Amino acid sequence: MPGATSEHATEQTGGPPAQFSRRAVLWAAGGGLASAVVGAVVAEVASRLTSSDQAVRDDRAVEAAKQSAAQQKPPLSVNAYYYDRSDDSGVCLFPVPLTGEQRHRLLDLPRTPTTVTDLAATGDGVDTVWPGDPRHPYRLFTRVRLSVVGQWTGPVFVTQIRARVQRRSAPLSGAYVLEGGQGGGEPLKVGFDLDEPDSIARVVTRKLELGAAYVDGHSLTLSPGEPLTVDVQAQTDRSYCEWVIELDVDLGGERRALTVDDDGRPFRSTSVARHYQERYHAKLTGGWGADGPGPFEFRI
């Protein structure tokens, strides 16, 4: 009996360890196989990630991301603002007479280079330039500077520049403030005739006449990040105009039209009116003089 008990005990205690050992072997074998498979996969992935093919795919992905980002913004970044030169004869025109406060600011304060500009900002004034051309006595210029930067992934070809009039009415005739300049400066090279039905940018001659289309003789191409400055002057002989600039561009076969304005507002131009309710001029001795109602008159 003791022997049987001992044998039975041996069978009970000897069986399970043998069975556990076989499972351990199987798990170990399976784990080794899995590790080998995972290692092979990792090695293959690493090989592909470092291969020249993957590098090409990465470059293509980066380029595609750049293209996608570029398509979310205009191909050109354009900053446009009114531009006057120190030798210009500036004229600020208003649709109605000056208010008492504006008149006080003008007549009772010293003349400074920013007086007229500040005055225009306080009312509805339009800054213009008087060219002093006796052949066109009612013509005034509005000068605008365009600061352009290419932001496309490739070259941007500017195929046309034009002014599109959004509103037209009679010239402003409430009041004008004249600040005579030396004059005689070099004319700008690009001009718009706002009285034309299709006002494309034209070459400005030395006699201040508009000639051929500007883009016919000038190549305007901007590479990514390349800056360009274009000074244009708009003219009208008979109207008050609110207008914007349009740039026709070619993006390697894709054509677009970009609209440029004065920070969300149209640019404004006017011709000389036949009669004004109030007239003011800058005096050589300093300060400002009032001339009462009447037609436009150049005085210093």
Side-chain angles (χ1 to χ4, degrees):
M1 292 296 295
T5 301
S6 176
E7 181 180 356
H8 180 68
T10 302
E11 289 177 356
Q12 286 182 338
T13 58
Q19 185 178 8
F20 175 77
S21 178
R22 287 193 298 272
R23 289 180 179 177
V25 171
L26 291 176
W27 278 109
L33 178 60
S35 298
V37 172
V38 171
V41 171
V42 170
E44 177 64 18
V45 171
S47 175
R48 293 186 179 184
L49 289 176
T50 58
S51 68
S52 58
D53 290 343
Q54 183 61 39
V56 171
R57 286 192 291 270
D58 290 344
D59 291 342
R60 289 175 178 173
V62 171
E63 185 62 27
K66 289 182 179 179
Q67 291 281 358
S68 177
Q71 292 175 356
Q72 303 303 316
K73 57 186 179 181
L76 297 176
S77 172
V78 185
N79 181 29
Y81 50 92
Y82 292 105
Y83 164 64
D84 292 330
R85 302 183 303 198
S86 60
D87 57 357
D88 286 333
S89 293
V91 187
C92 187
L93 300 107
F94 298 84
V96 297
L98 300 185
T99 66
E101 179 182 356
Q102 290 173 324
R103 182 182 176 91
H104 168 75
R105 290 185 60 190
L106 182 66
L107 297 181
D108 296 346
L109 296 178
R111 173 183 175 183
T112 67
T114 61
T115 300
V116 175
T117 302
D118 293 343
L119 188 65
T122 63
D124 202 18
V126 176
D127 276 324
T128 62
V129 174
W130 183 64
D133 188 347
R135 297 167 301 171
H136 304 281
Y138 300 107
R139 176 175 297 174
L140 295 174
F141 288 154
T142 302
R143 289 182 170 157
V144 175
R145 169 165 287 180
L146 304 179
S147 297
V148 189
V149 178
Q151 56 182 14
W152 196 245
T153 56
V156 178
F157 305 92
V158 180
T159 59
Q160 191 56 271
I161 308 173
R162 65 169 52 85
R164 179 167 55 85
V165 177
Q166 297 180 325
R167 179 190 172 197
R168 190 187 303 275
S169 63
L172 302 184
S173 59
Y176 76 74
V177 179
L178 169 67
E179 186 172 21
Q182 296 177 354
E186 192 73 15
L188 301 186
K189 301 186 185 310
V190 186
F192 297 125
D193 184 353
L194 300 179
D195 298 329
E196 287 185 338
D198 184 19
S199 182
I200 62 172
R202 297 186 179 278
V203 176
V204 181
T205 69
R206 292 193 61 86
K207 295 183 178 181
L208 300 180
E209 298 294 339
L210 298 183
Y214 183 78
V215 297
D216 288 351
H218 300 79
S219 176
L220 299 179
T221 304
L222 286 92
S223 299
E226 180 181 1
L228 174 69
T229 299
V230 181
D231 292 333
V232 302
Q233 62 188 28
Q235 65 187 47
T236 174
D237 289 74
R238 57 177 183 266
S239 303
Y240 163 78
C241 301
E242 296 181 357
W243 53 281
V244 296
I245 298 173
E246 291 182 341
L247 303 177
D248 293 341
V249 299
D250 186 334
L251 308 175
E254 179 186 352
R255 297 184 179 274
R256 293 190 190 181
L258 307 179
T259 300
V260 182
D261 55 26
D262 178 27
D263 194 22
R265 302 176 299 270
F267 296 106
R268 304 165 67 218
S269 301
T270 185
S271 65
V272 172
R274 300 323 192 249
H275 186 275
Y276 289 91
Q277 299 178 57
E278 295 179 353
R279 300 175 298 169
Y280 304 89
H281 73 279
K283 298 186 294 185
L284 282 177
T285 56
W288 302 85
D291 302 317
F296 177 83
E297 180 181 0
F298 182 75
R299 295 188 57 177
I300 55 175

